[in-house]
Amino acid sequence: MERLRIEYGTGYMELNIEAFFPCKMPAARKAARLINSYCSDEARAELLSELREMAGGYTALCGMYKEIEEALPADTPERRHWRAQFNKTEVLRRRMEGNIRLISGGGKE
């Protein structure tokens, strides 16, 4: 699934999944409300599967960055670089988990 098309009463919206997710909470709440209200259960399940796969990638990257960082000597520029990479990826991983929670928690109303 590359794009998610949300059709509602007055029009539609297409989300490019890899560009939109992981998004910050205000945008996630708006998107989740539309997704949970107007998308079919099959489309939601496919989207959640895609998001969980992306989250798994972030988790794997976090582990890799952490491992590289711990193998380097303390207080070196290389170690700080890998720590920064870990922190950035961890933020994206947590953001993705929040997005998944919002979309999977809602249902048809």
Side-chain angles (χ1 to χ4, degrees), residues 12-29:
Y12 70 93
M13 173 192 303
E14 283 190 353
L15 293 178
N16 183 343
I17 295 177
E18 289 189 17
F20 186 77
F21 293 103
C23 60
K24 294 183 178 180
M25 276 304 168
R29 284 187 196 99

Side-chain angles (χ1 to χ4, degrees), residues 13-67:
M13 173 192 303
E14 283 190 353
L15 293 178
N16 183 343
I17 295 177
E18 289 189 17
F20 186 77
F21 293 103
C23 60
K24 294 183 178 180
M25 276 304 168
R29 284 187 196 99
K30 290 176 186 176
R33 189 178 73 240
L34 292 172
I35 291 166
N36 290 330
S37 296
Y38 297 108
C39 287
S40 67
D41 289 339
E42 295 82 27
R44 273 186 52 214
E46 189 176 347
L47 173 64
L48 286 169
S49 172
E50 183 86 18
L51 295 181
R52 287 185 179 114
E53 186 178 315
M54 289 170 67
Y58 288 129
T59 302
L61 278 174
C62 282
M64 184 182 77
Y65 294 154
K66 187 78 165 167
E67 196 174 292

